[in-house]
Amino acid sequence: MRSEEPLAGSSINSANNKSANHDEPVDSPAFTARPVAAEEIPDQAAPTTLSTAQDVPVERPLQVDTGVFDELTRQRAQEIIARYPQPRSALLPLLHLVQSVEGYVSQAGISFAAELLELTTAEVSTVATFYTMFKRRPAGEHLVSVCTNTLCAALGGDEIYAGLCKKLGVGHEETAGRPGSSGSITVEHAECLAACDLAPVLQVNYEFYDNQTPESAVALVEALQRGERPAPTRGAPLTDWRHTELQLAGFFGEPQELRDAVDGPSAAPETLAGNRLAEEKGWTAPAMPGNPPPLPAVADKK
Amino acid sequence: MTERTLTPVLTRRWAAPRSWTIDTYTRLDGYTALRTALAADPDQLIQLIKDSGLRGRGGAGFPTGMKWGFIPQAKPGEQPTGPAAKPTYLVINADEGEPGTCKDVPLMMADPHSLVEGCIITAYAIRAHRCFIYVRGEVVHCLRRVHNAVKEAYAAGYLGSNILGSGFDLDIVVHAGAGAYEAGEETALLNSLEGLRAEPRLKPPFPATSGLYAAPTVVNNVETICTVPYIVNGGSDWFRTMGTEKSPGPKIYSISGHVQRPGQYEAPLGTTLRELLELAGGMKGELKFWTPGGSSTPLLTTKHMDVPLDFEGAAEAGSMLGTTAVMVFNTTVSVPWAVMKWTEFYEHESCGKCTPCREGTYWLTQILQRMVRKEGTPSDVETMLDICDNIFGRSFCALGDGAVSPIRSGIKYFRQEFLDLCAQQSGHPRQAALSGSVR
């Protein structure tokens, strides 16, 4: 993902395309801020399908081919929408679902979500570009997120991040290897990952690897590049980023798969530090009454 | 010093084998409070929580019972009108992301059923039939544990229709976020849950009358809701045997940084840093500065080791209790550097809705980065304080106020360190602040 070539094949940006449609999200700076080689973006919308007529209502979604989303995905999308009293609430999980299929929020994915929720593609794009977990370029088989917020950084997070970037020859949100191929790794620096007692931490596909060092982090990505999947300190057995994205959309697989994932470890020694100390010292909270005390009376309703 | 002991209440089950399963939870008194609650009048539960003095554990410390009481309820026998005619929602803020804060994540991982039971009791009290648990996306293990707990609770008849024969119905949806600190602000969270950018809403109207889908909504933090079943079982008097009069109850203190045994320590509110450090095996190195409750709470120093860490004590010391995320730094850490890192965080996470925060955090970051590169000038300190004055109280939500906390308190206690850094010029031509300002 380090190519400096312009987005030559991008249908949307090419001069032949009319820019009548101001809804088009790919025109937004967020999507064009960094040049990406065309071959890195699979299934970009075919330019010929873009409507250019001035009289096209703006709310009509672009006719981007959403065929990449198969019947199962469409069923899942409907399941997501059915969870909520109002369909639009399904947007974030739908975009997670898109990422589980495409490995990023693709143009087709934006159109897919827009069609399902009867939104414009602009309305979807504005949301997709707001949240850091929605990737705008195809991500690797694994996503490695290194916490570089103050506390982790003070304890070595900055060195870990710098070491991984050097090792992989990439920067923030860049991918070593062909995105999606086996052993490809996207690296990002993350904000506080809510594991400060286990600092410095990193995550692979949002599973926790606690108490890291620059050396352990490099060893971890080397293993990932070899196709191994070292177990997280806290979390489910490692799969790949797209699989995690499916879980974020709310699909956890068959009962046994869910059970295995749920049973992944969670209680680090740090988590239980207070617990263990209390046990050792015989400290407990004040005892509750034997039976729940009567609930307070309620003032007369007027 | 009198010995303060730990009071494991919420953390009590954490070490039990497979603590996250419904079997372990029910074996250790789980879902007993639910039966008591469902037999009561909902208003009795609201009164109980008011009597207990429980205050929100998400940082602001708002009285929980009062928040529940703000939900408009139809008068018996009358046709509801206005907001009371709309469905009521319960939304759980499980979007933990305040730097230093790491209590809700272990709580949801270890004991997700206490959250589910708390949700059912709370929903019953406020007459909500739909509950959404908004879990931060990056903590997928919490998401699956909570998802699994909800599934187990449905199978056991604790969720769905006619729960335990009470006639009360409740559905819980577990919803994953997508990476935005701002979504932890309650109205931004509601926007996010509605499928919008996580930008805050103007208040009033408050969520109690106009929340999710413009309907009456209670938004509560995970730890707050997990506390509810214990108050139902133990009563408000029992709850008040811990903590202080205005800040009662136990609290999970998360201690991180340069301490021997970082981790989760549940102790009564009002515990001091000195006591917490003792519990955590003491410092690694010499204490320099610390936060009582995340990066949005002003820094404190060695002078504040005996400040009682409850809502009043932290405020009197010029800080805030926040989330009781106690980050401890020793003398190896540069205050301007730490402040720069936090400010970079706020700049990144500023949602962009309001100008003071969006522009102010950007400029503060530029100045601090320049200073840490040893290209600062002594006037930078005053410039930063001036920018802080233009952010604090003038931003749309509390993110802006939080952003200035490390800077103002850092300069208050360590001004000389900033000035000394400015005095050390790198010798490189000083970059104009505007250079590189194209984002």
Side-chain angles (χ1 to χ4, degrees):
Chain A
M1 292 297 290
R2 302 216 73 188
S3 166
E4 295 303 317
E5 283 173 43
L7 191 50
S10 165
S11 53
I12 314 294
N13 280 351
S14 70
N16 293 335
N17 268 293
K18 316 299 180 289
S19 54
N21 216 316
H22 296 293
D23 269 351
E24 181 39 61
V26 178
D27 276 334
S28 73
F31 274 86
T32 53
R34 200 182 153 275
V36 179
E39 65 272 15
E40 291 173 358
I41 300 186
D43 304 320
Q44 268 295 336
T48 49
T49 60
L50 286 180
S51 171
T52 57
Q54 293 289 336
D55 58 351
V56 172
V58 288
E59 55 275 4
R60 191 177 139 195
L62 284 175
Q63 291 176 4
V64 174
D65 182 9
T66 56
V68 64
F69 301 104
D70 62 8
E71 200 44 47
L72 176 63
T73 305
R74 284 168 195 275
Q75 269 173 29
R76 284 174 168 158
Q78 293 303 336
E79 275 180 53
I80 292 172
I81 294 167
R83 287 178 203 151
Y84 301 95
Q86 295 189 10
R88 185 163 181 159
S89 283
L91 183 51
L92 265 58
L94 276 179
L95 292 173
H96 283 304
L97 182 70
V98 162
Q99 296 204 121
S100 76
V101 176
E102 292 264 72
Y104 72 122
V105 178
S106 61
Q107 199 52 46
I110 286 172
S111 295
F112 177 65
E115 278 166 21
L116 287 167
L117 302 178
E118 296 182 359
L119 300 171
T120 65
T121 50
E123 285 169 316
V124 175
S125 294
T126 191
V127 171
T129 53
F130 184 86
Y131 295 92
T132 53
M133 291 173 79
F134 295 140
K135 303 303 178 197
R136 298 165 217 171
R137 293 188 299 276
E141 180 187 20
H142 301 294
L143 173 68
V144 176
S145 317
V146 183
C147 178
T148 55
N149 204 299
T150 312
L151 191 118
C152 271
L155 298 180
D158 277 351
E159 286 81 47
I160 291 172
Y161 177 67
L164 290 187
C165 288
K166 185 163 174 252
K167 159 81 192 158
L168 298 172
V170 295
H172 178 62
E173 287 197 336
E174 293 179 352
T175 303
R178 191 169 56 77
S181 67
S182 176
S184 57
I185 295 173
T186 302
V187 175
E188 65 178 2
H189 57 77
E191 296 302 355
C192 184
L193 292 171
C196 314
D197 49 338
L198 300 138
V201 293
L202 63 79
Q203 291 181 326
V204 180
N205 310 333
Y206 311 120
E207 312 288 356
F208 282 107
Y209 293 75
D210 302 322
N211 293 314
Q212 292 293 297
T213 64
E215 297 74 31
S216 68
V218 167
L220 175 61
V221 299
E222 282 173 347
L224 295 173
Q225 284 185 310
R226 288 194 299 268
E228 295 165 23
R229 292 181 171 180
T233 326
R234 290 175 301 142
L238 199 62
T239 53
D240 58 38
W241 182 66
R242 291 191 193 197
H243 193 84
T244 305
E245 280 295 313
L246 189 60
Q247 300 191 356
L248 288 165
F251 299 96
F252 295 87
E254 297 300 312
Q256 190 57 44
E257 187 193 343
L258 174 63
R259 194 191 146 106
D260 291 346
V262 163
D263 281 354
S266 60
E270 289 82 352
T271 310
L272 300 175
N275 225 296
R276 300 281 188 228
L277 183 65
E279 195 182 299
E280 191 184 303
K281 302 272 189 185
W283 293 336
T284 55
M288 285 185 187
N291 289 309
L295 289 162
V298 177
D300 283 342
K301 289 173 196 164
K302 297 190 177 112
Chain B
M1 189 182 86
T2 55
E3 190 181 49
R4 282 268 190 177
T5 58
L6 294 166
T7 50
V9 176
L10 284 84
T11 56
R12 185 172 62 97
R13 295 187 189 89
W14 287 14
R18 304 186 77 235
S19 61
W20 52 90
T21 59
I22 196 165
D23 293 345
T24 304
Y25 186 70
T26 45
R27 188 166 49 79
L28 299 172
D29 309 326
Y31 290 112
T32 53
L34 177 63
R35 291 167 203 276
T36 309
L38 290 178
D41 183 310
D43 284 338
Q44 288 184 290
L45 295 167
I46 296 177
Q47 192 60 46
L48 171 73
I49 299 303
K50 282 181 180 170
D51 292 350
S52 75
L54 173 65
R55 297 174 66 173
R57 304 313 200 204
F62 193 82
T64 305
M66 196 188 288
K67 195 182 239 188
W68 295 4
F70 287 153
I71 295 292
Q73 303 291 352
K75 294 194 175 74
E78 283 180 28
Q79 193 65 25
T81 55
K86 294 182 176 177
T88 299
Y89 295 106
L90 172 64
V91 176
I92 306 303
N93 185 343
D95 192 41
E96 182 165 65
E98 169 75 15
T101 308
C102 48
K103 62 186 181 67
D104 295 337
V105 163
L107 179 52
M108 283 186 283
M109 278 193 197
D111 200 5
H113 279 284
S114 67
L115 176 60
V116 175
E117 186 177 9
C119 287
I120 307 168
I121 297 170
T122 306
Y124 178 74
I126 64 168
R127 288 85 151 174
H129 301 288
R130 284 261 200 169
C131 166
F132 296 91
I133 304 178
Y134 186 112
V135 183
R136 182 174 174 187
E138 292 95 331
V139 288
V140 69
H141 205 42
C142 285
L143 186 78
R144 57 172 77 94
R145 287 267 172 97
V146 173
H147 170 87
N148 188 60
V150 167
K151 212 174 144 178
E152 287 182 324
Y154 269 107
Y158 298 131
L159 285 173
S161 40
N162 193 18
I163 295 167
L164 300 178
S166 65
F168 176 66
D169 308 335
L170 178 67
D171 286 306
I172 293 184
V173 173
V174 184
H175 180 94
Y181 168 70
E182 180 57 18
E185 198 277 344
E186 66 174 2
T187 60
L189 185 141
L190 295 174
N191 271 348
S192 183
L193 186 52
E194 290 184 11
L196 300 162
R197 295 161 79 104
E199 291 174 345
R201 299 175 179 175
L202 194 65
K203 291 192 274 191
F206 290 94
T209 54
S210 189
L212 187 66
Y213 312 127
T217 303
V218 163
V219 184
N220 273 148
N221 167 263
V222 170
E223 189 184 356
T224 312
I225 291 298
C226 289
T227 307
V228 168
Y230 301 102
I231 298 175
V232 172
N233 272 342
S236 54
D237 290 340
W238 165 81
F239 188 69
R240 285 179 170 281
T241 58
M242 290 165 277
T244 60
E245 196 200 333
K246 288 182 176 168
S247 300
K251 182 79 187 71
I252 303 173
Y253 290 90
S254 310
I255 308 171
S256 61
H258 291 121
V259 296
Q260 297 292 342
R261 285 195 303 270
Q264 311 295 328
Y265 294 85
E266 188 178 7
L269 277 166
T271 302
T272 66
L273 179 70
R274 192 182 301 280
E275 291 159 343
L276 290 172
L277 286 179
E278 199 172 296
L279 293 168
M283 285 291 300
K284 280 182 184 164
E286 192 188 327
L287 176 66
K288 184 174 177 185
F289 63 98
W290 56 290
T291 70
S295 60
S296 300
T297 61
L299 304 180
L300 295 175
T301 68
T302 50
K303 284 187 292 191
H304 305 102
M305 290 182 70
D306 295 309
V307 168
L309 294 178
D310 52 35
F311 292 101
E312 290 69 35
E316 269 170 40
S319 187
M320 292 182 291
L321 186 66
T323 55
T324 59
V326 182
M327 289 187 278
V328 179
F329 296 90
N330 68 18
T331 48
T332 63
V333 181
S334 150
V335 171
W337 173 85
V339 168
M340 176 195 76
K341 294 289 280 186
W342 278 317
T343 307
E344 288 172 347
F345 162 76
Y346 288 108
E347 184 214 357
H348 181 251
E349 298 298 335
S350 173
C351 76
K353 177 168 178 144
C354 75
T355 308
C357 175
R358 182 186 65 241
E359 300 303 316
T361 53
Y362 169 74
W363 283 106
L364 289 167
T365 302
Q366 298 295 305
I367 294 171
L368 282 161
Q369 286 176 341
R370 191 173 71 181
M371 198 181 280
V372 170
R373 283 200 310 268
K374 301 197 176 109
E375 293 167 16
T377 69
S379 66
D380 282 348
V381 172
E382 295 308 319
T383 306
M384 284 200 295
L385 290 175
D386 186 50
I387 297 173
C388 288
D389 288 345
N390 282 299
I391 298 175
F392 188 84
R394 290 172 164 81
S395 304
F396 207 89
C397 78
L399 191 149
D401 296 351
V404 308
S405 281
I407 299 174
R408 281 178 159 181
S409 57
I411 294 173
K412 180 177 170 188
Y413 296 117
F414 299 94
R415 180 185 284 261
Q416 196 56 45
E417 201 175 325
F418 285 86
L419 293 174
D420 289 349
L421 193 58
C422 294
Q424 299 170 32
Q425 293 297 313
S426 62
H428 295 296
R430 190 164 166 272
Q431 233 179 355
L434 265 173
S435 72
S437 64
V438 177
R439 293 206 231 182

